[in-house]
Amino acid sequence: MDPLGDTLRRLREAFHAGRTRPAEFRAAQLQGLGRFLQENKQLLHDALAQDLHKSAFESEVSEVAISQGEVTLALRNLRAWMKDERVPKNLATQLDSAFIRKEPFGLVLIIAPWNYPLNLTLVPLVGALAAGNCVVLKPSEISKNVEKILAEVLPQYVDQSSPNLGRIINQKQFQRLRALLGCGRVAIGGQSDESDRYIAPTVLVDVQEMEPVMQEEIFGPILPIVNVQSLDEAIEFINRREKPLALYAFSNSSQVVKRVLTQTSSGGFCGNDGFMHMTLASLPFGGVGASGMGRYHGKFSFDTFSHHRACLLRSPGMEKLNALRYPPQSPRRLRMLLVAMEAQGCSCTLL
């Protein structure tokens, strides 16, 4: 497989899926670029000294500070730059709307020279990211030390479909998950790399209840979305299916979260978060019905794997009391025996 060709394909797919268009995504990339400059300043100074014998003073003024300034400026003005720009109209178009919309090109290539290897790489990169493009960056191969940092360190700070995301366990599971991407319509993500068993975090919309992605445990970075008209319909949808291992309810209304908790059943439940209930050893983790049997974490694990043997050891010499159980039977003996068998202690429930 051609690594460059595959990279270009994934970048184009990411752009066409709309990942780079939201202001939030663009800002996150610029913020990552700013962190790259701040956290690796000494590394960059050293590389510039090795490549061009630049002093720390010159490197800071002509390379790092200018690049950081571009990031700061873009972050401060990003939303204003993205807004439609209204333009003057003539008499014939007074009732019309005339404006300039700033749209990203898509996939752009930045080729940097060696004389200012950081500045002339990152300053155009800031503009390309702010404009919502996917970028292929080609640092100068002559300034080798700066090139090495840009190639090996910079990708840790900006989105690249990420090396920190998990990979699919084997080819069989990869093929199963990639087949699920055909359900509904991909709204976000959808990129995949078979050679790396990588599938980008993906959101599917327009999914039908009977499609394969809704019929099995996914065990992959795919989130299908089913639209409902009301909370009642959402709860009914949950309850007509097998009980889930975990159920997460997100809402600004605590009443909505509590209602979902009250009117559904699942192995575990989390309001306005996912997974975090698993971090508490004081909460049992396990399924119910089809989602599993038993529970574990902390003492719950011990209890699950212990046979709870019922034992009673009575003192000798109590046979006179036992006589109540033996014939001849009478209503009085029955009443006394029933009183003796009543549970002792408080049975109050704490509310």
Side-chain angles (χ1 to χ4, degrees), residues 87-265:
V87 298
K89 297 177 288 186
N90 57 26
L91 185 61
T93 59
Q94 282 303 302
L95 300 179
D96 303 324
S97 177
F99 58 90
I100 298 171
R101 175 160 294 176
K102 294 71 174 255
E103 294 186 341
F105 284 122
L107 178 58
V108 301
L109 170 65
I110 296 176
I111 302 177
W114 55 264
N115 55 334
Y116 288 89
L118 187 69
N119 179 331
L120 298 182
T121 301
L122 298 191
V123 170
L125 177 61
V126 169
L129 294 175
N133 295 286
C134 287
V135 182
V136 174
L137 202 60
K138 170 58 177 69
S140 171
E141 72 280 6
I142 299 175
S143 49
K144 291 186 178 299
N145 292 286
V146 173
E147 179 194 29
K148 180 178 175 63
I149 296 172
L150 292 175
E152 296 181 1
V153 182
L154 178 58
Q156 301 173 24
Y157 291 82
V158 293
D159 187 281
Q160 57 158 357
S161 303
S162 170
N164 298 319
L165 295 176
R167 298 305 192 256
I168 311 306
I169 188 97
N170 57 35
Q171 284 296 328
K172 179 181 178 181
Q173 296 301 320
F174 176 85
Q175 296 298 341
R176 178 185 65 83
L177 289 169
R178 191 156 69 174
L180 295 180
L181 296 178
C183 299
R185 174 173 59 86
V186 174
I188 298 173
Q191 303 84 18
S192 63
D193 180 356
E194 185 172 2
S195 65
D196 196 27
R197 299 197 305 276
Y198 171 77
I199 293 180
T202 299
V203 175
L204 300 176
V205 296
D206 300 332
V207 177
Q208 302 302 311
E209 182 177 354
M210 300 311 295
E211 289 190 273
V213 74
M214 297 296 296
Q215 299 301 312
E216 59 183 80
E217 291 185 281
I218 296 173
F219 291 125
I222 301 173
L223 175 66
I225 292 181
V226 177
N227 291 334
V228 294
Q229 298 301 314
S230 65
L231 179 58
D232 286 337
E233 185 178 341
I235 291 174
E236 192 277 329
F237 178 88
I238 294 168
N239 288 338
R240 72 170 176 259
R241 301 166 66 83
E242 296 285 1
K243 295 178 180 180
L245 176 61
L247 177 59
Y248 310 122
F250 293 83
S251 175
N252 290 325
S253 168
S254 61
Q255 295 303 312
V256 169
V257 174
K258 289 177 181 177
R259 187 175 164 201
V260 175
L261 173 59
T262 300
Q263 298 185 5
T264 62
S265 178

Side-chain angles (χ1 to χ4, degrees), residues 240-313:
R240 72 170 176 259
R241 301 166 66 83
E242 296 285 1
K243 295 178 180 180
L245 176 61
L247 177 59
Y248 310 122
F250 293 83
S251 175
N252 290 325
S253 168
S254 61
Q255 295 303 312
V256 169
V257 174
K258 289 177 181 177
R259 187 175 164 201
V260 175
L261 173 59
T262 300
Q263 298 185 5
T264 62
S265 178
S266 61
F269 181 89
C270 213
N272 290 318
D273 207 334
F275 178 81
M276 288 304 293
H277 65 297
M278 288 183 60
T279 66
L280 287 176
S282 56
L283 287 177
F285 181 80
V288 56
S291 59
M293 297 178 64
R295 54 186 184 172
Y296 59 108
H297 284 185
K299 186 176 181 295
F300 299 104
S301 300
F302 174 86
D303 288 341
T304 289
F305 292 100
S306 298
H307 167 54
H308 289 207
R309 182 183 180 189
C311 303
L312 175 65
L313 301 180

